[in-house]
Every structure is written in structure tokens, then in C-alpha cells.
Amino acid sequence: AQSVTQLDSHVSVSEGTPVLLRCNYSSSYSPSLFWYVQHPNKGLQLLLKYTSAATLVKGINGFEAEFKKSETSFHLTKPSAHMSDAAEYFCVVRSGAGNMLTFGGGTRLMVKP
Amino acid sequence: GAVVSQHPSRVICKSGTSVKIECRSLDFQATTMFWYRQFPKQSLMLMATSNEGSKATYEQGVEKDKFLINHASLTLSTLTVTSAHPEDSSFYICSARDDSAYYNEQFFGPGTRLTVL
């Protein structure tokens, strides 16, 4: 069985300040981990993915995430928030037979001017 | 990159009617597609796995006679919401797994907003 917990349902930051969106996972197998972003009434866009290569993964739009096996975490960070980063972010784990995806509950990022 | 389309993007229908939503992989083949449902301000919940040429696999609690899935080709899966009711109003998102991708990555469609009056 696998599960994903996004520790914050809402995160609010000021434009230009760092962003930290937290994600913890559990998995019986070596997982692949993803972060997706969803803007209102839109589909999902892949930000980055970890698939057992480098533990520090760089994605699009300046985002990056670090896979920490000992902490079972895959937190998403960005050094400086932009207004256009305001959206819903989902941490997703994939493992085991069938490559099924399990979604976290989502974190809504708000960026204040 | 791989593109998945959904049609329609938005549909409003009367209670009791049926609605068909299409999911297409535009530049790759997808033996397997997935249908998700997302309620407002909630995460995505997997409804069913659609397999080309065979019956779909439904998640627990999802009525297969209510949500008919057909995956007739390697690039098209359809979800039909039969006898829709207001509680079926939701955002439906499909994804397609690229058969040729090394990690069998899933690519998501833009979603379909269904409103049942």
C-alpha cells in the first residue's frame, strides 16, 4: 500500500519570498514521486519527478524537490515566489505493480503582492 | 511533449440525461488510460483504469453501470455518465500512460467540468 500526506492544505507567502510545500509518503516499494500544479479549472501540469536517479530534482519554473528516503519526504521548494505560482499543488507517488498513482490532498499556494 | 486532450471541456446537462466525455492521446499510443474525479477544493480520486480492448477496472465504490468506459483504440477512451444527477457534477480528468515511455509516465488531460442541473 502507498499513501501521500501533504502537511499543509494552504500556504501563503509574499511575492519574492521562498516557497516550501511539504510532502511525506509511504510505500512498500521503491517509489517514483511527482509534483503537479493545477491552476483553476485546468488540468495537471508536471513540475518535476523523482525516479531513483539524483535525489535533488530540478523542475520547471524554478521549482525543485529533494527526495529524502530516511525522512520519507519529498518537499517542494522555490527560492522566490511569483504571483503566477498561485495554484494548487499535488504530491503524487507511484509504485508497485500497475504503476498506480496516489495523490496527496493538495496544497493551495497563495502569493501576496 | 506528449499531449492528451479531452472533449468537451465543459458540459451542462439536465438530470437524467447521459453525457459522454472523450479522452485522446494525440501523439502517442496508450494501452492504458485512467479516469479521475475531482470535487471542488479536493484532490483527484481514481475512478477506473481503462484498458484498450478489454473491460475497465473500477475502484471500490464506483458504479460501473453508472460510469461506462470504452477504450476502443490505442488513442481514445470515453467515459459516459449515464442518467446523470446533480451529485455527479464534478471535474473529470483523464490521463494516458505512454506505452513507449521508459517510466510509463502518465500525461493528464485538461479536464471536463460537468454540471448537472
Side-chain angles (χ1 to χ4, degrees):
Chain A
Q2 58 192 34
S3 66
V4 182
T5 302
Q6 291 183 242
L7 297 159
D8 307 294
S9 60
H10 293 81
V11 170
S12 181
V13 301
S14 297
E15 189 175 22
T17 63
V19 175
L20 169 64
L21 304 183
R22 298 183 293 168
C23 172
N24 286 93
Y25 71 92
S26 67
S27 174
S28 303
Y29 303 90
S30 296
S32 294
L33 292 155
F34 307 80
W35 276 99
Y36 287 90
V37 61
Q38 184 182 34
H39 289 92
N41 294 311
K42 300 291 185 183
L44 300 177
Q45 181 183 17
L46 179 66
L47 280 178
L48 49 81
K49 62 183 176 184
Y50 166 77
T51 53
S52 77
T55 56
L56 181 61
V57 182
K58 294 188 183 298
I60 62 171
N61 300 336
F63 285 94
E64 63 181 39
E66 186 172 8
F67 173 71
K68 293 186 176 181
K69 186 176 181 178
S70 60
E71 299 177 9
T72 60
S73 70
F74 190 58
H75 302 333
L76 181 70
T77 60
K78 182 173 180 177
S80 176
H82 192 272
M83 294 297 291
S84 60
D85 294 328
E88 188 85 17
Y89 291 79
F90 293 99
C91 181
V92 181
V93 64
R94 181 185 74 192
S95 64
N99 293 313
M100 304 304 290
L101 299 184
T102 300
F103 283 77
T107 298
R108 180 165 298 276
L109 175 65
M110 294 167 283
V111 182
K112 299 175 289 186
Chain B
V3 178
V4 176
S5 69
Q6 279 185 244
H7 178 78
S9 58
R10 186 179 293 267
V11 57
I12 301 172
C13 69
K14 292 183 179 180
S15 187
T17 61
S18 294
V19 175
K20 180 186 284 189
I21 303 170
E22 293 185 346
C23 177
R24 293 181 185 272
S25 57
L26 297 186
D27 50 3
F28 64 96
Q29 292 186 331
T31 302
T32 305
M33 294 185 177
F34 302 88
W35 287 97
Y36 297 84
R37 184 173 182 176
Q38 185 181 32
F39 288 106
K41 303 189 184 216
Q42 295 188 27
S43 188
L44 278 72
M45 298 298 295
L46 179 66
M47 297 175 65
T49 302
S50 171
N51 300 294
E52 187 267 339
S54 64
K55 291 183 179 180
T57 303
Y58 290 83
E59 295 301 301
Q60 191 172 8
V62 178
E63 298 176 58
K64 60 181 180 181
D65 295 330
K66 173 81 172 170
F67 299 99
L68 300 179
I69 291 173
N70 183 278
H71 194 154
S73 78
L74 289 174
T75 59
L76 173 65
S77 175
T78 60
L79 169 69
T80 301
V81 183
T82 62
S83 186
H85 290 281
E87 58 266 29
D88 298 323
S89 298
S90 190
F91 195 51
Y92 293 87
I93 299 176
C94 75
S95 71
R97 192 161 71 195
D98 186 343
D99 290 344
S100 64
Y102 183 74
Y103 290 110
N104 287 81
E105 186 171 339
Q106 289 185 34
F107 298 93
F108 287 83
T112 296
R113 170 79 55 196
L114 170 62
T115 303
V116 185
L117 303 176

